[in-house]
Each structure stands twice: as structure tokens, then as C-alpha cells.
Amino acid sequence: MPWKPPSPRCKELIRQIAQIVVSPQREWLEQFDRAVLAASPMIAADPELAAAVSRSNRDNLYCWGTANVRDPGAPVPANTGPEVMNVARELVRRGLTAYTLDAYRVGEGVAWRRLMEIAFELTSDPNELHEALDVCSRSISAFVDTTLAAIAAQIESERDELTRGSHADRRETVALILDGAPIPRRRAEDRLGYALTGTHTAAVIWSDTPAGDLSRLDKVAEAFGHATRARPLIVLASTATRWVWVPGNKAGDQPDIGPLRQAVEALPDVRVAVGPTAAGIDGFRRSHFDAVTTQQMMARLQSPQRIALFGEVYLTALITADTNRAAEFVHYALGDLESADSELQDTVRVFVNEQCNASRAAARLFTHRNTLFRRLARADELLPRPLSECSVMVAAALDVLRWRGQP
């Protein structure tokens, strides 16, 4: 339909709405993200992709809002900025299609409901509301349609570029192995430049801020390989994620991650999830999937931890698969200890982990036994049940708190 300029009063009302849209409250933005991710489990399970979609959704809000502050009610051209186009790149790197873009429709619905709330807060005149909402409805719908079309076109361009690169062979080979396809081992090893015999320890290395020089991810991957004095297999899973495997440890053992910790400390936006060491092609797969499970747990809990080993988080990952039930479990197990200071929580966790041996716990905490006993007595006052009756459950709940970010 040809664009018909709105009335002067309607333009002023749309300008006021847009001014609020470009400066949303943090609580609403968090609600916005939760709604999109709840409707898109494939995106929510991938922390990097979830972050990219969140940034692009917010960029879309800002793009539409600023355009309507400048020229209220006028058509808004598609958003082809770097945040939005980065989503196309991430989808292709994961082998996904434009189907995943349905998440943007969810975001459109949430944003539209908020816009209506703003409009009703600004005026109660039915004629003004009718005209403003009609113009905004058509404007938002057209803006989202053209933006999604631009992303879809970029997806095709990215797919063409990826399939022409040498990285495609390595990524395809790894995908076949992970899917359990009957690819001959020798052929897979030739394409990867990596031996699939022996043992393997997998890691997922990613950045929370994908802008800038991503070669730092490869530096962390190389540091991971230093633990075994072997060249790691590094696969570019997406723009800001590396899948890594290193060989050479005894099955069931973890490599020395000291060099890895040093490398990560120097790069505050890089995070690492490490799988267990396992043997053969099955171990290659299992270690990777466990590393991904660890990464997903870190993302799900918004964990402040920078490095996580699967062996440390296995139970926590199981407990927190449903975050709402996990929160109920923590409150049930800990009672008022849930809100106690971290020193008291750490004391209880270390005491239980040391099999309730006071001498060993005091030594690990670098504190006197009497101080330890005073803290444990205080913990018993806060717990809904005595620690002696539920020590394992309390320790599990405290581990969830350790890995969970601030609620």
C-alpha cells in the first residue's frame, strides 16, 4: 500500500512512543529476551547464538525507534547493520536455516504489546489511538518483513562462501563423526590432520563479545593443546566458537589445564567448557557432547565461572536442566543458607566434600577447627534440616549456587 502521511497529532504521538522505545527499561529487555528464547529452544541452547539474536533484536528496536523519532510514521528501511547480519553468519556456521528466524516474530509480538501499553499510557483519545496503532502496526510489520528478507539473503551468501572454503571439509568431517556416520577412519584422519585412535579430550571455547579479533580463541585452543604437548584439532564451529580436541591423556583423566587458565585470565571475554577424556572415535564424540552440555549449563545459569570441567558440573547440569525446578530444589535444601554470605556457604561445601572430616576441611579452608565448628553451627541454624541428616543434598544445592550467576 502507498504510504499515507499520518496527521500532525498522530506524528507527535508516534514520536513520543518511539522516544520511549529507544530507551527501554532493563527489566523489560530481560523479559523480551526470555520470551524469545522460551519460544526458540534451539537458540536458547546455544549461548553464542542466543546472545547474537538478543543483540540483533535490541538493535532492531533501536533502529525502528530512532527512525520514528526522526520522521514519525514514515516507512523504516530494513536493518542491515552488523548485529543483524551477524545472525545470518551464526546460523550458517551451525548448519541451520532461515526457519530459526521465527524467533524474530516472537520478538515482534512482544515489542508490539509493549508499544500498545505505551500508547495507552500517553493518550485515551480513541481516534488518536486508532490512527497511531494502525500506522505503527503497518510500519513494524513492514520493517520486520524487509529485515528478515535481508537476513535470509545474507544466509544464502554466507552459505555460498562457507561451502567454497577449506574449513568446510573439516567442519563436514567432524559433523559426520559426531552424527555416527560410517566414514572410514583413515579418510577422516586425512581430512582432519588428526589421529582418531587413542584418547581425546574435547573443549568448547567461545567469546561473549564476538566483535574484534577472534584469533584470541585460537590462542586459547593452542594453550589447551600445550597440556598434552600435541597439536590440537581446532574446528571453527561459528564465528566466535571453537570446537577443540587434544589427544594423549589416560582415559578418565583430565589434562593439566594450568596453561589454559593462564590464557583465559588474560582474555576476560573468553570462556571454556571441557569434556572428559575418553578413548577412540566414541570417546571423541562423547567428550565433545559432554563439553557442549557443560557449555549449555554455564549459559543456562548465566554462570560467572570462566572455565568448567564436565567432571565438576555433571550433577549440577542434571539438577539444573529445568531451571525453575532447580531453584525450588535449592530453596528446599538450603532454606535461609541460600542467602547467607559466600564464606559460610563455602565452609559447608568444603566440609561435605571432605567427607565431613573437620581436620581436612579446616586445612583446605586455611582456618582453625574451632572457627570451622562455629560456622557449621551457624549453618545448622539456617538450614531447614540438620546438616548431618542431608549433607549430600546440601552440597549439591551449594554447587548449583556456585555455578549460578546472580538471580
Side-chain angles (χ1 to χ4, degrees):
M1 296 176 59
W3 177 69
K4 178 182 177 181
S7 67
R9 172 54 193 156
C10 181
K11 292 182 67 172
E12 180 55 31
L13 180 56
I14 293 175
R15 188 193 308 277
Q16 294 175 24
I17 293 172
Q19 287 172 336
I20 297 175
V21 167
V22 297
S23 301
Q25 295 181 346
R26 179 181 176 182
E27 293 77 9
W28 182 81
L29 284 176
E30 292 174 350
Q31 176 189 349
F32 183 54
D33 287 340
R34 285 196 299 271
V36 171
L37 296 180
S40 311
M42 185 181 298
I43 292 175
D46 186 321
E48 186 186 349
L49 183 57
V53 170
S54 174
R55 287 192 300 270
S56 64
N57 266 324
R58 296 181 185 201
D59 194 53
N60 282 337
L61 282 174
Y62 185 79
C63 182
W64 185 89
T66 53
N68 277 277
V69 170
R70 290 192 305 268
D71 190 1
V76 180
N79 181 10
T80 56
E83 293 291 1
V84 174
M85 292 299 101
N86 183 55
V87 171
R89 188 174 302 111
E90 298 304 334
L91 291 175
V92 172
R93 293 294 187 270
R94 290 158 172 79
L96 303 177
T97 67
Y99 170 78
T100 317
L101 298 180
D102 286 348
Y104 284 90
R105 294 298 183 189
V106 177
E108 177 186 357
V110 175
W112 173 242
R113 288 193 294 274
R114 176 57 184 147
L115 186 146
M116 287 193 292
E117 291 174 356
I118 295 171
F120 277 91
E121 290 170 0
L122 293 175
T123 182
S124 59
D125 185 290
N127 293 325
E128 290 179 356
L129 284 169
H130 182 274
E131 183 181 6
L133 293 178
D134 179 64
V135 172
C136 288
S137 174
R138 289 187 285 111
S139 173
I140 292 173
S141 179
F143 169 68
V144 172
D145 285 347
T146 55
T147 297
L148 291 184
I151 296 175
Q154 185 68 17
I155 286 175
E156 293 305 315
S157 175
E158 292 286 342
R159 184 176 289 114
D160 289 343
E161 180 180 344
L162 183 63
T163 54
R164 289 196 301 267
S166 59
H167 164 72
D169 286 342
R170 188 184 303 176
R171 180 69 174 82
E172 179 186 14
T173 303
V174 165
L176 290 172
I177 295 172
L178 295 179
D179 288 342
I183 180 173
R185 179 176 61 80
R186 290 289 181 86
R187 181 185 174 196
E189 290 176 337
D190 289 343
R191 296 178 70 177
L192 295 175
Y194 178 89
L196 293 171
T197 54
T199 61
H200 313 276
T201 309
V204 178
I205 301 172
W206 77 101
S207 172
D208 292 328
T209 54
D213 180 15
L214 294 178
S215 64
R216 63 192 187 279
L217 297 175
D218 298 316
K219 293 177 182 177
V220 174
E222 294 290 346
F224 185 49
H226 289 165
T228 58
R229 296 184 175 86
R231 184 172 181 80
L233 169 63
I234 304 174
V235 173
L236 195 157
S238 67
T239 305
T241 299
R242 302 292 184 268
W243 290 346
V244 186
W245 287 262
V246 294
N249 288 287
K250 182 180 178 182
D253 291 345
Q254 289 288 354
D256 175 15
I257 62 170
L260 179 62
R261 289 192 185 278
Q262 292 178 5
V264 171
E265 286 174 1
L267 301 168
D269 63 326
V270 174
R271 291 152 69 78
V272 184
V274 183
T277 300
I281 292 181
D282 286 341
F284 181 94
R285 282 192 289 264
R286 187 168 67 255
S287 185
H288 170 74
F289 290 136
D290 287 344
V292 170
T293 296
T294 304
Q295 180 199 27
Q296 291 172 346
M297 185 216 72
M298 295 171 74
R300 184 167 62 244
L301 299 183
Q302 299 181 338
S303 176
Q305 307 295 332
R306 303 276 308 287
I307 298 178
L309 307 180
F310 179 74
E312 296 177 341
V313 305
Y314 190 9
L315 179 59
T316 303
L318 292 174
I319 292 173
T320 60
D322 182 326
T323 53
N324 291 330
R325 294 298 301 273
E328 293 173 2
F329 165 73
V330 168
H331 185 68
Y332 173 80
L334 300 183
D336 292 336
L337 185 62
E338 181 181 1
S339 57
D341 61 81
S342 59
E343 183 180 59
L344 184 57
Q345 293 175 353
D346 288 342
T347 297
V348 175
R349 180 169 51 247
V350 170
F351 177 69
V352 176
N353 288 342
E354 290 297 333
Q355 299 179 334
C356 299
N357 184 299
S359 297
R360 290 203 303 265
R364 275 192 57 188
L365 292 166
F366 301 102
T367 191
H368 195 278
R369 278 168 54 95
N370 290 341
T371 301
L372 173 71
F373 287 133
R374 283 196 297 272
R375 292 178 187 170
L376 293 175
R378 174 57 181 157
D380 259 340
E381 295 174 359
L382 299 176
L383 286 167
R385 289 159 293 280
L387 180 62
S388 59
E389 298 178 5
C390 57
S391 59
V392 174
M393 184 166 62
V394 167
L398 288 172
D399 268 340
V400 173
L401 288 187
R402 176 191 171 203
W403 290 101
R404 189 177 70 186
Q406 291 297 322

